[in-house]
Amino acid sequence: MKDRLVTVFGGGGFLGRYAVQALLAAGARVRIAARDPRDAWYLKPLGGLGQTQFVAADIRKPATVARAIAGSDAAVNLVGILKGDFNAFHVDGARNVAEAATKAGVGAFVHISAIGADAASPSAYGRSKAEGEAGVRATFPTATILRPSVVFGREDAFVNRFARLIRALPVLPVVRGSAKLQPVYVGDVAKAIVAALGREGGGSFELGGPEVFTMTALNRWIARAIGRDPAIVEVPDGLSRLMASATGWLPGAPITRDQWLMLARDNVAIEDGLAALGIAATPLEAVTEGWLIKYRRHGRFAKAADTSLAHPAPG
């Protein structure tokens, strides 16, 4: 990656900050493309003089994508949404980036999809991810597609969200408690992006962490990690589906109907994509201690949490 110019679409987001750091550490020059580049300026001090660039681009607008990618040696598309117009971002947007990468003659292209991308998925999110993959492959056949499970890390909206609820509620309702997922560390996904850019042949890799949890087991693990002991109650599927359908469209809703449908299928890798890319998967307990302390009753002065009994599989 030394001195190669890599354009990262969505580089200012959660995964983006780690991908950019990994690329900078590998010696690449990084052009961060975002709808509002000011949202990514916090990344500038992480690189050397002239190592980072910022450009305004909206993957829904082909002209802005073409300007952003011009002169690049490689490109990465990290852009994704959890609600809204999935086709605009996951399908048309992904195709726009792949087409621009092809026309610009970049040597490597990595597209971030998700475990659960399936044309037959019950959710619009899963179907749009699958269609986006198909568009990328048709336009840039040697692209590498990475499919992570749920991504966790210090700034995530996943483990942190559950931790906040566990801290606040004496009784924690869990939707789809038996659904399985394989959380993957954001730093490992960033390493996978760098590794994928440095290999030939493209292909697809599913990325999961070393542990498989049920949704209920994961919440119990988080509760132990922050020293809390709420009553955890699994919400019956019929009731949770009604709740998601009735309130999921509201801003800040705990779960949308489409997210509820996504949980109908386990979010578990069918292959060890991290190992195939030469990366050792990081377990939750190896990195969460540094940020989950803020959810403990006495913060950093609390006794270290014992998560050794947090077995991943049973609910």
Side-chain angles (χ1 to χ4, degrees):
M1 301 304 300
K2 186 68 174 177
D3 294 329
R4 294 173 67 189
L5 176 59
V6 183
T7 296
V8 181
F9 292 88
F14 167 51
L15 174 55
R17 72 169 64 204
Y18 288 86
V20 168
Q21 288 181 73
L23 287 165
L24 292 172
R29 293 178 294 128
V30 182
R31 180 181 292 160
I32 300 160
R35 279 183 283 177
D36 187 346
R38 291 174 297 183
D39 294 339
W41 282 353
Y42 69 92
L43 293 167
K44 190 170 184 177
L46 301 180
L49 183 63
Q51 198 178 6
T52 53
Q53 305 173 16
F54 300 86
V55 61
D58 184 333
I59 66 170
R60 296 170 297 179
K61 300 176 181 179
T64 70
V65 174
R67 285 196 298 269
I69 211 169
S72 298
D73 298 299
V76 179
N77 179 33
L78 306 178
V79 179
I81 59 173
L82 293 175
K83 60 170 65 175
D85 188 349
F86 294 127
N87 284 339
F89 289 93
H90 298 166
V91 182
D92 299 335
R95 187 182 300 111
N96 289 339
V97 178
E99 288 178 350
T102 299
K103 292 176 182 177
V106 305
F109 177 41
V110 172
H111 173 69
I112 301 297
S113 184
I115 290 178
D118 185 346
S121 173
S123 78
Y125 175 89
R127 294 192 300 273
S128 69
K129 282 291 190 179
E131 190 174 347
E133 288 186 10
V136 167
R137 287 195 185 98
T139 308
F140 199 114
T142 58
T144 299
I145 294 174
L146 301 181
R147 292 176 157 192
S149 182
V150 177
V151 181
F152 71 89
R154 179 181 293 271
E155 304 85 2
D156 71 34
F158 181 67
V159 172
N160 282 300
R161 184 175 190 176
F162 289 136
R164 284 192 294 270
L165 289 172
I166 291 168
R167 178 179 62 182
L169 302 174
V171 178
L172 180 70
V174 177
V175 173
R176 294 283 202 179
S178 62
K180 293 180 180 178
L181 57 160
Q182 193 175 355
V184 59
Y185 178 50
V186 64
D188 292 342
V189 180
K191 291 178 182 178
I193 291 169
V194 176
L197 287 174
R199 66 187 300 277
E200 296 180 356
S204 297
F205 298 86
E206 294 201 342
L207 310 180
E211 302 155 309
V212 175
F213 294 86
T214 64
M215 193 67 76
T216 295
L218 177 63
N219 277 279
R220 286 177 177 158
W221 189 96
I222 297 170
R224 277 193 289 268
I226 64 175
R228 307 279 179 165
D229 188 26
I232 295 178
V233 178
E234 294 188 3
V235 181
D237 282 352
L239 179 58
S240 64
R241 177 170 187 156
L242 179 63
M243 177 183 71
S245 298
T247 65
W249 58 273
L250 293 170
I255 188 170
T256 67
R257 184 176 184 277
D258 200 70
Q259 290 166 349
W260 188 92
L261 290 170
M262 276 294 289
L263 290 173
R265 296 184 178 181
D266 292 336
N267 198 267
V268 176
I270 60 174
E271 60 183 17
D272 193 345
L274 286 178
L277 292 168
I279 300 160
T282 303
L284 269 166
E285 63 183 5
V287 292
T288 52
E289 178 70 18
W291 89 80
L292 287 183
I293 55 174
K294 65 184 178 182
Y295 298 107
R296 297 177 189 160
R297 286 185 175 84
H298 304 291
R300 63 188 180 89
F301 299 104
K303 183 179 178 181
D306 178 11
T307 56
S308 59
L309 299 179
H311 300 298

